[in-house]
Amino acid sequence: MKTAVFATLAATAAAFAPSQTGRASTSVSETKADLEVLAKKLNPIVGFYDPLNLAEADFWGQGNEATIGFLRHAEIKHGRVAMFAFVGYIAHANGFKFPWAMQMDGTPFPDANGNPPAVWDAVSDDAKWQIFGLVGFLEFWSELSTPSSKHYMRGGKPGDFPDFVSGPEGIPHPVPFNFYDPFGWSKNRSEEAKASGLVKEINNGRAAMLGIFGFLCAQTIPGSVPLLSGVVPTYSGEVMAPFSTNYIGEPFIN
């Protein structure tokens, strides 16, 4: 049974893994017309669907093309996070965890009987702060504009992640691998292959966003997702609260 579950998990992970799109995969300074063309590639049946008219918006007075860059980057980034979350949810739901200790005192990785949100609740606040610290650094680095990677609102490619640069103008120690394409597998791919991979990544990200929230809704709102009724365990906690203690609101209580 474990072998079958693992095989299913591996196939799912491959399907939702971010595709290697390369640094020349996305047009810069996109317009509404570019979005309409991309929408047909993503879903020929639905096509371009923009009920809020965001494709003509101007956020913070930065111009329409900068706004489109912001929205495109946000979707790609949220899709990547959702793909990690979807596969991680399946892994925790089936009891997969690292065999070594999670903390220096020997505390193992939690199990919580296959209830992924409860697994997160069981992680110590110290460990959560480390996770958020790493995520915060990656978010900071992704917002940098470098000679080889312009900001996505300044003519850069949405979804692009700047290389780690060592030295006086970068990280003060050697970094052997980049966060994006650490082994250099995508640099020799054709532009057609990169463009096709980007379309797959966006579609997989959209599916993963629906999937992970489908799991969470089924756990917290009984009957909201009929197909998952009885499949996932219920959860009575707060899925949107990263900590069990309200560190921001606590000083104002009482």
Side-chain angles (χ1 to χ4, degrees), residues 20 56 83-84 111 120 131 143 155 160 163 193-194 206 208:
Q20 302 298 322
E56 297 181 6
M83 286 188 275
F84 275 113
D111 181 82
W120 174 258
I131 294 172
E143 292 293 323
D160 187 29
D163 291 341
K194 292 175 183 178
R206 291 175 176 178

Side-chain angles (χ1 to χ4, degrees), residues 145-171:
S145 182
T146 67
S148 62
S149 179
K150 293 183 179 180
H151 194 271
Y152 50 85
M153 293 182 70
R154 294 293 180 268
K157 294 180 283 292
D160 187 29
F161 192 92
D163 291 341
F164 291 133
V165 180
S166 300
E169 298 182 357
I171 300 175

Side-chain angles (χ1 to χ4, degrees), residues 66-232:
T67 300
I68 289 176
F70 171 83
L71 295 171
R72 293 270 288 111
H73 185 82
E75 179 185 26
I76 293 171
K77 182 166 63 175
H78 282 80
R80 289 170 178 171
V81 172
M83 286 188 275
F84 275 113
F86 186 88
V87 175
Y89 185 102
I90 294 175
H92 286 301
N94 286 279
F96 291 103
K97 60 180 181 179
F98 294 117
W100 52 82
M102 181 179 68
Q103 298 185 176
M104 298 297 292
D105 61 3
T107 301
F109 284 89
D111 181 82
N113 297 319
N115 193 328
V119 171
W120 174 258
D121 291 341
V123 175
S124 69
D125 284 1
D126 289 341
K128 291 178 180 178
W129 282 118
Q130 293 179 52
I131 294 172
F132 286 125
L134 174 61
V135 172
F137 166 75
L138 294 176
E139 182 70 10
F140 159 78
W141 194 266
S142 72
E143 292 293 323
L144 296 179
S145 182
T146 67
S148 62
S149 179
K150 293 183 179 180
H151 194 271
Y152 50 85
M153 293 182 70
R154 294 293 180 268
K157 294 180 283 292
D160 187 29
F161 192 92
D163 291 341
F164 291 133
V165 180
S166 300
E169 298 182 357
I171 300 175
H173 59 77
V175 180
F177 301 105
N178 285 310
F179 185 66
Y180 169 79
D181 194 23
F183 304 110
W185 290 342
S186 71
K187 62 182 180 181
N188 295 323
R189 298 182 68 197
S190 67
E191 293 303 314
E192 293 75 12
K194 292 175 183 178
S196 175
L198 179 62
V199 170
K200 295 174 183 176
E201 179 183 24
I202 295 174
N203 276 332
N204 287 339
R206 291 175 176 178
M209 286 188 275
L210 293 173
I212 188 61
F213 269 93
F215 282 143
L216 297 178
C217 287
Q219 286 197 261
T220 57
I221 310 173
S224 60
V225 187
L227 290 177
L228 295 177
S229 296
V231 177
V232 296

